[in-house]
Amino acid sequence: MVGLLNVQLAVVDEEVFVLESTRVPRALSVASKATGVNLVAAACRLAAGERLADLALPAERPPRQVSVKAAVLPFARFPGAIPCSGRRCARRAR
């Protein structure tokens, strides 16, 4: 496979579960909206073998706004899971 890929895994009691697989990450479309540049089309053209220099992307410019993509973690899929992330999760699990 050539191109963008997003695989999210979860491990429960040493068993591995695939949560999401082989699709373009949503972050690419969010970045496209934030910058006003169609990065999805550019990524598809790159995956098809074109060179970055051939895409005629606009010059980099300072952002006009702050854009944020919030993570949505699938804790509901795992009964008994502690719905937190990062270092504070390790403290709560004790």
Side-chain angles (χ1 to χ4, degrees):
M1 172 180 263
V2 175
L4 298 169
L5 176 68
N6 181 26
V7 177
Q8 296 179 9
L9 306 172
V11 179
V12 178
D13 296 328
E14 297 185 18
E15 187 172 356
V16 178
F17 296 87
V18 177
L19 302 178
E20 297 185 28
S21 182
T22 60
R23 60 176 183 72
V24 174
R26 290 180 298 272
L28 191 59
S29 61
V30 171
S32 292
K33 290 176 187 174
T35 61
V37 177
N38 189 342
L39 297 172
V40 176
C44 290
R45 290 174 61 190
L46 291 170
E50 289 191 50
R51 296 179 320 153
L52 187 59
D54 297 334
L55 298 184
L57 294 171
E60 185 176 343
R61 62 183 188 273
R64 295 175 299 207
Q65 76 283 332
V66 174
S67 301
V68 177
K69 177 186 178 287
V72 178
L73 303 173
F75 291 112
R77 294 183 188 181
F78 300 98
I82 300 170
C84 63
S85 60
R87 284 188 251 157
R88 66 187 178 140
C89 207
R91 287 192 292 259
R92 289 180 66 185
R94 291 182 192 152

